[in-house]
Amino acid sequence: MDETRIRALGDELYSALCNQRTLAPLTSREADLCIEDAYHISRHFLSRRLEAGEQVIGKKIGVTSAAVQEMLGVFQPDFGFLTSAMTVADGADIPIAGHLIQPRAEGEIAFRLKHDLAGPGVAEQEVLAATESIMPCFEIVDSRIENWNIKIQDTVADNASCGVFVLGGNEVDPRDHDLPGLKMNIYKNGQFHSAGLGSAVQGNPLTAVAWLANTLGEFEIPLLAGEVILSGSLAPLIPVAAGDRMSLEIEGIGTCRCQFV
C-alpha cells in the first residue's frame, strides 16, 4: 500500500476518534490490506495523537485469550500503543458521551518495566527479569470500526482498539506469584460477572509480553523501562454503558474499579 493511502486511512481513524464516530471496516475497502500495512496506518494514527500533545507511556497486546478471539472472530493477537490521554485513575468516573463510542471492559494483568525489552529473541524469563511490578487493570477497549466488525488488520490499524485504561493502586513483585495461576473475579454493578486465570493469555502473561516484545522488535520498536504493558484480557469483553460500575479483584494482588457516566 502506498504512503498516501496509509496516511489517508490513519487520518480517517484519527477523525473517528476525535468525533466519536465509526468507520466501515478497512478490510472491506482495501482488499490487499496486510498486517504490515495496518501497522503503518496505526503509526500514522498515533502520530496524529502525538502531534496533539499526547505521549507514549506503554504498549498493549490484545486478543490473546480464546474467549476474546471467539467473541471477536479474530484468531491471533494484536498490538498497540498506550498514550498519556488514555490513563484513568483507579475508582474514577469514565465519561462515555464525547469520549467513547462502543466501549467494552476487559480485566487484565498490567506490567510495569524497569528495564528495556527489545526483540527478537525475548523469552519469558527475560520479561520477568525486566519487570518491576504487576497490578490489576481494566482496559476499556473501543473500536472505531462499526459494530466491532473487525479482522486482525482492522484492529491493528485502529491501535488495537485502545480506548482508556485503569491501573489498580496495588503493585506487587511478579516473582512472588504464580502468574498463570492468578485468578481474577470481575463484577458489574456489584454482581459477579465472570472470572479468568492468568493462563488465559497464551498460557502465561509472561509469554504474552514476550510475544509483544518480539513482534514489535520486527519493527525495531522496544518496550522501554518505565512503560506500562497490558498483557491481555483474562475473560470475555463486557459491554458497558453510562451508569455501569465495574470492579475486579486478582486474588492475592489487589483490586481495580471504575464507573461510567
Side-chain angles (χ1 to χ4, degrees), residues 123-187:
E124 287 84 351
Q125 286 305 308
E126 292 172 87
V127 174
L128 186 63
T131 300
E132 178 181 346
S133 59
I134 58 171
M135 67 219 77
C137 172
F138 269 120
E139 183 186 0
I140 313 305
V141 291
D142 189 33
S143 179
R144 268 66 62 176
I145 305 300
E146 61 188 11
N147 298 319
W148 282 91
N149 184 19
I150 58 173
K151 295 181 180 178
I152 187 65
Q153 298 95 321
D154 295 297
T155 183
V156 169
D158 190 26
N159 195 33
S161 306
C162 283
V164 298
F165 66 95
V166 186
L167 299 179
N170 194 44
E171 302 190 22
V172 302
D173 188 332
R175 284 156 283 271
D176 296 334
H177 298 271
D178 169 30
L179 300 192
L182 290 176
K183 184 177 181 181
M184 174 181 287
N185 294 308
I186 304 174
Y187 302 85

Side-chain angles (χ1 to χ4, degrees), residues 21 42 65 70 72 98-99 120 187 228 237 248:
R21 62 182 179 86
S42 171
S65 70
E70 290 289 345
L72 297 179
H99 293 84
Y187 302 85
V228 171
L237 308 184
L248 64 80

Side-chain angles (χ1 to χ4, degrees), residues 90 136-137 167-170 247-250 253-257:
D90 188 21
C137 172
L167 299 179
N170 194 44
S247 63
L248 64 80
E249 177 184 15
I250 300 180
I253 292 184
T255 63
C256 185
R257 298 179 298 111

Side-chain angles (χ1 to χ4, degrees), residues 212-252:
L212 181 62
N214 291 327
T215 300
L216 288 180
E218 295 175 9
F219 300 99
E220 299 183 346
I221 296 176
L223 309 184
L224 299 176
E227 288 188 333
V228 171
I229 309 298
L230 307 188
S231 63
S233 183
L234 307 189
L237 308 184
I238 304 169
V240 290
D244 285 335
R245 295 174 289 110
M246 298 298 303
S247 63
L248 64 80
E249 177 184 15
I250 300 180
E251 295 179 0

Side-chain angles (χ1 to χ4, degrees), residues 32-44:
D32 61 346
L33 180 65
C34 65
I35 290 181
E36 185 171 353
D37 292 333
Y39 166 75
H40 289 297
I41 294 166
S42 171
R43 289 304 304 271
H44 182 67

